[in-house]
Amino acid sequence: MNALIDAQNLHKAFGSVQAVRGVSLTVRAGEAYGLVGPDGAGKTTTMRLLVGALRADQGQIQVGGFTLGRETEQARAHIGYLAQRFSLYGDLSVAENLTFFGSIRGLRGPALAGRAATLLKFVGLHGFEARRADQLSGGMKQKLGLACALIHEPKILLLDEPTGGVDPVTRQDFWQLLIRVLAEGTAVIVSTPYMDEAARCTRLGFMYQGRVLVEGAPRELTASMQGRVLELAAHPKDAARAVTAADPAVEDVLTFGDRFHVRVRETAGPLARLPAALAQAGVNVERLRAIPPSLEDVFISLLAAQTTPAQA
Amino acid sequence: MNTRLVSIIRKEFIQISRDPRTLILVLIIPVMQLFLLGYAATNDVRNVPLAVFDQDRGASARALLDAFRAADYFRLAYDVDSEADLRELIDRGLARAGLIIPAAYSQQLTSGESTSVAFILDGSDPTVAATALSAAQLIGQSLATDLMTERLERRGASLRLQLPLEVRTQVWYNPDLEQAYFMVPGVIGMILFALTSILTATAIVRERERGTIEQLIVTPIRSWELVVGKLLPYVVLALLNTIEVLVIGAWWFGVPVRGNIGLILGVSAIFLMSSLGIGLLASTIANTQQEAMLSVWMLLLPSLFLSGFFFPLEAMPLVLQWISYAMPLRYYLVIIRSLMLKGVGLQAIQGDVIALALFGVAIMGAAAARFRKRLD
């Protein structure tokens, strides 16, 4: 199947800051590509390069078969984009925003009215047509943004942290909408700081300092960490952490709520040694076991490997 | 019909209507400026407060004071008893001029001698001082001529005194030398220039500031459609302002509109290319509305001062006169004043119109070249 977005070796610098350094990615129809990574990793810049809002210093981007830079406007005709910052007109109503973005995309008359009505129902904003966009709640704004991005039935949808600052229920709603968009064969690129959202993507790219460090399906990524994570619940916490970190096979101890995730080189050694060591230090162990790694474990270990390359 | 262009124009008009406060300001500012400049910014000097130290108090002294009173340049505000008092009044700014009549004034005049009075001026405001000075000299000369005639008549020489030369003046276009005749066309120029450049600059920068430009960039709208669509509503507003100022100028200030209205609006449209271009140029440089405002302001001040808006170009140093040729407003002011007051046709102003058109094309071209449908 043909790629709807194909980006090769993208570079972008702002002054002396290299924001994007050699990013390549390919997304096919019906695929959801998740861009994850810490703030400042270059996710937004990558998104902006892909929609042509920024011009890449180097590299090539094909969108729906059109080359950005040469056939920019044809390429853009296939793109729906929801920017990280709310970028609709706050002083226009919900309906006026939709109509504006529809007509600027060349829709008019009954076709535009029909499409707008369908989308309003789809995102659950029917009944709010006359409300000004800046008087919508955060979640409703994002839904309106999604509707505006979908008004011309784009083949490719780019969403830059679409659920930032949105409540969990609305986040859930939003993803249900995305799943339906994907089912229609749209290619979606979404950047997100949330691991539960990342887990829903077909493929993930983990960005750090302008590069995609690893790429793969969520399950492939977690598989690479299989047998490398222990869960520890123990009191008192400070002593538990100190004793655990001292074990030779332990790479890192991280707090996850009321527990620790302990990243290890192998599980057998620590599982044998730690109970005695902890008991000796007067630590009361509730639970110590190997667990399947989460995406978060994967990314934190990737980050640790980047920041302290000597240990990696 | 171009759907993209129409939709952006319609959107812009909706946004203008959603912000009635700005709209009202845009409509009120020209009226306010018109009244301020029509009345307050006048160079006509009247009612200069005068302190008089009359040591004579005779009939001739009274005649002199009557002559000062009759000319409405002066107001006999203070009657003092010493030079020290007179000095104090001028020091404190209560009197702007002082007149000292010597004790022997009447007596010297009746005995056929020559005499003199002292006239003191506060020169801290040169405009007032210059007018008061020439007014005082005129009053003195005219009174002296009258006294001379009187003396000759008294001697029995009943000849009628006839001056050998008389300058007969005719003032064209503005016979009463009304300040408003000069100011109203100027205000039109200033409004078109300042308001449109500021409005267009902020209208475009606002999209960037609010982030909406990011959404627009991703649509297939062409750069020129975006620019034209955003500028056109402000052209309409600016032309409405022009008509507003023309109507109030004619109706309230009685400023004649002798030229062809179509020609006035047409030339104004040519001038708008420059001011819109400057606004657009500022928007490509500025990142915030505040920056855009200030950049336009920076260009606005030299334009106003070096275009003959307040001060006549002829009175400026030669270097500044040369610089004034780089100000589009200069040409427009010449044109609009000629069109309104003199009622000339295109022929008489074609040089200035061509200059204005060249500036318009150059500025617009530079702005269009800089304007990019991108974030970087």
Side-chain angles (χ1 to χ4, degrees), chain A residues 5 29 59 70 77 79 99 101 118 167 227 243 258 272 279 302:
Chain A
I5 280 208
R70 251 193 308 128
I79 293 176
T99 311
F101 284 106
T118 310
D167 69 85
V243 172
D258 59 347
L302 276 169

Side-chain angles (χ1 to χ4, degrees), chain A residues 157-226:
Chain A
L157 185 61
L158 290 103
L159 310 164
D160 193 1
E161 300 202 4
T163 57
V166 170
D167 69 85
V169 179
T170 313
R171 223 143 63 78
Q172 193 62 30
D173 286 358
F174 197 86
W175 271 88
Q176 292 309 316
L177 296 176
L178 281 190
I179 287 164
R180 286 167 61 187
V181 172
L182 283 165
E184 285 166 22
T186 310
V188 175
I189 298 183
V190 58
S191 72
T192 178
Y194 299 115
M195 290 305 135
D196 59 325
E197 291 188 352
R200 293 173 187 265
C201 293
T202 328
R203 261 178 329 124
L204 287 175
F206 181 75
M207 275 195 86
Y208 184 68
Q209 291 187 342
R211 290 196 181 88
V212 176
L213 293 185
V214 287
E215 196 190 79
R219 209 169 300 166
E220 291 165 22
L221 293 175
T222 49
S224 66
M225 286 276 289
Q226 200 63 49

Side-chain angles (χ1 to χ4, degrees), chain B residues 177-192:
Chain B
L177 297 177
E178 292 279 352
Q179 192 72 24
Y181 282 30
F182 180 72
M183 278 301 173
V184 168
V187 170
I188 294 177
M190 186 173 90
I191 295 298
L192 283 182

Side-chain angles (χ1 to χ4, degrees), chain A residues 12 14 48 51-55 73 76-77 79-89 91-93 96 100-101 103-108 132 149, chain B residues 1-4 7-8 10-11 14-15 18-19 206-223 230 372-376:
Chain A
K12 178 71 185 176
F14 299 104
R48 286 178 168 169
V51 297
L54 294 173
R55 190 166 58 179
E73 303 304 350
R76 280 179 177 146
I79 293 176
Y81 175 52
L82 182 56
Q84 183 173 19
R85 220 175 117 197
F86 179 66
S87 55
L88 303 177
Y89 294 96
D91 47 356
L92 298 190
S93 71
E96 283 164 347
F100 171 68
F101 284 106
S103 61
I104 221 162
R105 295 282 194 175
L107 290 169
R108 61 168 98 183
R132 295 224 192 143
Chain B
M1 201 58 199
N2 185 321
T3 330
R4 291 188 294 254
S7 62
I8 199 140
R10 189 174 28 186
K11 183 217 83 175
I14 295 176
Q15 287 189 304
R18 289 285 151 80
D19 188 4
R206 192 162 49 226
E207 300 259 4
R208 196 170 306 149
E209 217 174 42
R210 293 187 184 167
T212 48
I213 193 85
E214 203 169 341
Q215 209 63 51
L216 276 183
I217 285 171
V218 184
T219 70
I221 191 166
R222 306 294 187 270
S223 290
K230 287 210 64 99
R372 288 268 177 281
K373 224 187 97 185
R374 279 210 312 268
L375 289 174
D376 59 344

Side-chain angles (χ1 to χ4, degrees), chain B residues 315-326:
Chain B
M316 287 177 198
L318 212 53
V319 178
L320 290 186
Q321 287 194 38
W322 290 335
I323 297 176
S324 80
Y325 285 105

